[in-house]
Amino acid sequence: MNRRVRRKLARKSKGNVVQSSFPEVQDEVLDLETQRQGVVDWKCLPDDTVIQLLSCLSYRDRASLSSTCKTWRSLGSSPCLWSSLDLRSHRFDAGMASSLAPRCVHLQKLRFRGAESADAIIHLRARNLRELSGDYCRKITDATLSVIVARHEFLESLQLGPDFCERISSDAIKAIAHCCPKLNKLRLSGIRDVNADAINALAKHCSKLTDIGFIDCLNVDEVALGNVLSVRFLSVAGTSSMKWGVVSHLWHKLPNLIGLDVSRTDIGPSALLRMLSLSQNLRVLIALSCPILEEDTSFSASKYKSKLLISLRTDIFKGLASLFFDNTKRGKNVFLDWRTSKNNDKDLNEIIPWLEWMLSHTLLRSAENPQQGLDSFWVEQGGALLLSLMQSSQEDVQERAATGLATFVVIDDENASIDCGRAEAVMRDGGIRLLLGLAKSWREGLQSEAAKAIANLSVNANVAKAVAEEGGIEILAGLARSMNKLVAEEAAGGLWNLSVGEEHKGAIAEAGGIQALVDLIFKWSSSGDGVLERAAGALANLAADDKCSTEVATAGGVHALVMLARNCKFEGVQEQAARALANLAAHGDSNSNNAAVGQEAGALEALVQLTRSPHEGVRQEAAGALWNLSFDDRNREAIAAAGGVQALVALAQACANASPGLQERAAGALWGLSVSETNSALINQTSTYLSLVNAEYWQSYPSPALQRTCLWQFCAFLEIEVMTFDSYTTCWIDRLQKVSGKCDGLAKSKE
């Protein structure tokens, strides 16, 4: 058996220690003794083991673990742990940058999010930075970007996007050219104008620039791009106002161009064919979602066998296989097959990462802006492409592919409607297992995007079942405990959708999901409307199950939900919190739960206040909660004392044109309160309620509950003897018809 040499830590001792002739053996004997005693001394772990352990943690957990002792603090500052940093999930300002600076001396790769983070980058003092990537860049200015590149002259890669860089102009691009002579890759999204001076500066000062992307720009100087002779990969995807005649006559002369992306542009067949026929070294041309090209049914590029055209009308997997393996083998794992094969083609080593990046970007853009007539593409090729890209070695490609899967299945996000055909195509191609694998990554960016995709796909019952069978509930419950709000939010969304299925509620409880959701509310109570709505929505679904409802109450759910109903101003959170309280009051140990909700400080007052909300969904759920709570004697009087009778009467009067659900809950709550003689008298004395009990109106209400309540109150109003109420209205209709002749007159006289 091979032995591994372990690095040792020097330890101080008060006395002289005689070392054994075999310190390795001695350490192993001590280790065995320690194991026999059932105790592990973590301080005695080899240095390389500790470093490997730290490398598998998120930055937050890495910093926390490093603070446990002096030795680990030293190991936690090892340069190999800080060569790459992803700050997108964290608030990154000048103060944090200064605290991180001592560890970032050797930082080479940095990902950030937003203008505040961009402003703070210079405080890291990472002069050896090689790669910089940022998103949410709309507010980043020329001045900020110019300062960043001036402080990081060794930059080799700069990517900003995919959202638009609206405040960056050609002046900043010229600064990049002058400050970063080693630049190899430049990808910018949404620049208003990239003029000739900026592009010519890149051509003059950045001799190593081989990868250029001016994506979704409004104007790019085509002639100047023809001067960047070093370029090997060029993307103008989504860029408008391109003069394709000029492009086709100039760019084919670029001596090193092997990859070109013109997706989502108005390029036509003639310009495309000219590029394919005249460009000597061009091997890949991506032209996805190009309307003019797709309208020409006679267009064909089949005669250019040595060049790959990727469009909506081509067999993309067949083309990729032909490019990579020089055969026509069909398969949906061509990228993975290539990575596992022994291939010494230098061009392909560069083409494949570029292809993956550009395809993931274009597919996500197409999913975000759906076009008519793409259903067959998404089911037959698009979904499988995204799954293939999820297995990329590039983290940003994996994230975009997962986001694309989360997006392309959605038909109507407001009503949680998805395309079942697309969702089940993802499931058939093994997508659930792939997504759950990404969700288990230590990288928080992958966790959140994978959880988002799982959540959206789980709207489909068949997919939800597959997620549960693959262990997805345990994974999502674990992610819901994340300290990262974005991760926790998407995980809570997944549990919300899965909790719709009765068969999954118990599994969520067993996985600790209920406690995790309750904890989320307390953790993010002062911020994060998205995570609060999802957590409350999931708890509302779970509370509709008797066993889970009891567990929600036991886990502190009543206090958490009442806190949301009282303090949160976001309508989605209010609606789900009220719905959850309504379900708690009606399920589980209903007597116990009902009393617990009613006796929670401020609960009834908050629900009464929510019946006055401008949003119908909030009013409906609040009225439903009051209805369920009114079955408890103590709650009935407390609701009335909180102004509930007046609020519900006003709600009932105003909901004649509202949804049947709101009508039913408003009437039901009044019905429940009217069991009390005091409340019934108060209801009858409220003049605004007379329109409801007038015989001319009660039959116009579609809700049976509202009809029953109107009949109950009308009989009481006419001083007709009220018999035991049941769920049928026939007897009430008969009694009312017998006295219908005097109804109107009595109503008017009492009014």
Side-chain angles (χ1 to χ4, degrees), residues 350-608:
E350 296 179 319
I351 288 173
I352 293 174
W354 177 81
L355 252 179
E356 289 180 332
W357 200 97
M358 292 302 164
L359 285 175
S360 66
H361 188 283
T362 290
L363 289 171
L364 177 56
R365 277 283 190 250
S366 297
E368 292 171 336
N369 302 284
Q371 303 174 27
Q372 296 293 329
L374 291 185
D375 286 345
S376 60
F377 168 76
W378 283 118
V379 172
E380 295 170 9
Q381 296 197 86
L385 271 172
L386 289 170
L387 291 176
S388 180
L389 293 168
M390 275 172 46
Q391 302 171 74
S392 170
S393 58
Q394 302 176 79
E395 184 181 345
D396 53 349
V397 170
Q398 290 180 303
E399 287 182 20
R400 271 196 299 274
T403 308
L405 285 173
T407 306
F408 94 110
V409 297
V410 177
I411 298 174
D412 182 356
D413 53 357
E414 288 294 327
N415 297 309
S417 177
I418 67 169
D419 187 299
C420 293
R422 297 179 187 180
E424 295 190 9
V426 172
M427 181 177 64
R428 286 194 301 271
D429 288 333
I432 303 305
R433 184 168 297 177
L434 286 173
L435 285 166
L436 291 174
L438 286 187
K440 291 189 288 186
S441 166
W442 66 269
R443 294 182 173 88
E444 293 175 332
L446 290 177
Q447 289 176 352
S448 63
E449 298 308 317
K452 181 191 299 180
I454 293 166
N456 287 357
L457 289 163
S458 294
V459 172
N460 179 278
N462 292 330
V463 175
K465 181 180 178 182
V467 169
E469 290 174 348
E470 293 286 348
I473 289 175
E474 291 81 1
I475 292 172
L476 290 173
L479 294 179
R481 302 183 186 96
S482 172
M483 294 298 294
N484 184 312
K485 185 173 70 173
L486 296 177
V487 174
E489 179 176 327
E490 301 301 346
L495 294 174
W496 187 3
N497 288 342
L498 284 165
S499 63
V500 171
E502 294 298 324
E503 66 274 25
H504 304 315
K505 289 182 170 67
I508 292 173
E510 290 175 7
I514 290 176
Q515 188 66 62
L517 291 165
V518 172
D519 291 343
L520 271 184
I521 294 176
F522 291 118
K523 188 184 300 181
W524 305 107
S525 59
S526 59
S527 63
D529 293 337
V531 68
L532 295 177
E533 180 181 13
R534 288 163 172 78
L539 289 173
N541 287 350
L542 292 164
D545 174 84
D546 284 341
K547 184 177 179 181
C548 292
S549 185
T550 300
E551 188 164 337
V552 170
T554 304
V558 173
H559 181 62
L561 293 163
V562 169
M563 180 180 65
L564 293 184
R566 293 181 63 185
N567 302 329
C568 189
K569 304 304 180 185
F570 181 60
E571 63 181 275
V573 178
Q574 293 175 341
E575 180 176 346
Q576 297 308 322
R579 185 168 72 92
L581 291 171
N583 286 344
L584 279 171
H587 294 87
D589 183 350
S590 56
N591 292 332
S592 175
N593 283 2
N594 201 306
V597 174
Q599 293 170 17
E600 180 69 29
L604 301 180
E605 292 82 357
L607 290 169
V608 168

Side-chain angles (χ1 to χ4, degrees), residues 42-331:
W42 297 101
K43 293 182 292 184
C44 296
L45 287 174
D47 293 1
D48 55 351
T49 301
V50 175
I51 291 174
Q52 183 66 30
L53 173 65
L54 291 171
S55 70
C56 296
L57 300 177
S58 67
Y59 300 107
R60 181 187 288 105
D61 292 342
R62 187 181 301 172
S64 297
L65 192 57
S66 298
S67 66
T68 55
C69 67
K70 184 177 179 180
T71 300
W72 282 29
R73 188 178 300 114
S74 175
L75 294 175
S77 299
S78 300
C80 62
L81 294 174
W82 298 97
S83 62
S84 176
L85 194 58
D86 184 352
L87 295 168
R88 292 171 302 157
S89 300
H90 310 277
R91 181 178 176 83
F92 179 61
D93 53 19
M96 179 179 285
S98 297
S99 67
L100 287 173
R103 303 179 182 183
C104 295
V105 175
H106 301 285
L107 184 66
Q108 295 192 7
K109 182 177 180 180
L110 175 65
R111 301 183 73 181
F112 70 94
R113 173 168 289 166
E116 183 183 20
S117 296
D119 290 334
I121 287 174
I122 59 173
H123 297 284
L124 282 175
R125 300 192 294 275
R127 300 303 296 266
N128 294 310
L129 196 63
R130 298 295 195 274
E131 299 180 35
L132 183 62
S133 175
D135 53 20
Y136 289 86
C137 300
R138 291 182 182 273
K139 295 183 179 180
I140 295 179
T141 63
D142 280 355
T144 298
L145 185 55
S146 297
V147 170
I148 289 174
V149 297
R151 299 288 184 90
H152 302 95
E153 64 272 18
F154 296 113
L155 271 181
E156 297 173 0
S157 173
L158 176 61
Q159 300 182 84
L160 300 178
D163 48 316
F164 295 173
C165 305
E166 296 176 343
R167 300 187 181 183
I168 295 176
S169 72
S170 293
D171 292 339
I173 297 175
K174 284 189 284 186
I176 294 170
H178 287 286
C179 297
C180 303
K182 298 181 179 294
L183 197 66
N184 172 267
K185 181 189 300 178
L186 178 65
R187 295 172 183 164
L188 304 175
S189 295
I191 308 296
R192 293 185 180 277
D193 178 68
V194 186
N195 62 31
D197 288 346
I199 296 174
N200 287 331
L202 291 171
K204 179 179 179 181
H205 298 288
C206 302
S207 59
K208 298 181 179 180
L209 186 58
T210 60
D211 187 335
I212 297 177
F214 292 130
I215 302 168
D216 292 311
C217 298
L218 296 182
N219 184 44
V220 177
D221 192 290
E222 307 91 343
V223 176
L225 272 176
N227 298 329
V228 189
L229 302 182
S230 60
V231 69
R232 292 170 62 80
F233 301 96
L234 177 59
S235 175
V236 290
T239 294
S240 56
S241 305
M242 297 292 294
K243 302 179 181 65
W244 293 111
V246 175
V247 168
S248 62
H249 283 83
L250 287 177
W251 291 4
H252 72 83
K253 299 176 184 178
L254 289 167
N256 298 303
L257 186 66
I258 60 175
L260 176 62
D261 183 10
V262 295
S263 299
R264 300 181 292 110
T265 66
D266 59 355
I267 191 171
S270 59
L272 199 68
L273 288 173
R274 187 173 179 84
M275 286 297 302
L276 289 171
S277 62
L278 296 180
S279 183
Q280 295 298 313
N281 295 313
L282 187 66
R283 294 186 64 177
V284 180
L285 201 162
I286 309 175
L288 290 167
S289 299
C290 296
I292 296 177
L293 184 66
E294 289 151 14
E295 288 172 2
D296 188 342
T297 57
S298 63
F299 174 77
S300 174
S302 57
K303 64 180 179 179
Y304 303 106
K305 299 294 185 181
S306 62
K307 297 174 182 178
L308 171 62
L309 173 66
I310 297 178
S311 71
L312 294 180
R313 297 177 58 189
T314 61
D315 187 328
I316 297 175
F317 287 106
K318 180 179 179 181
L320 291 171
S322 176
L323 175 69
F324 298 160
F325 305 113
D326 194 26
N327 60 39
T328 58
K329 182 179 69 173
R330 293 175 180 268

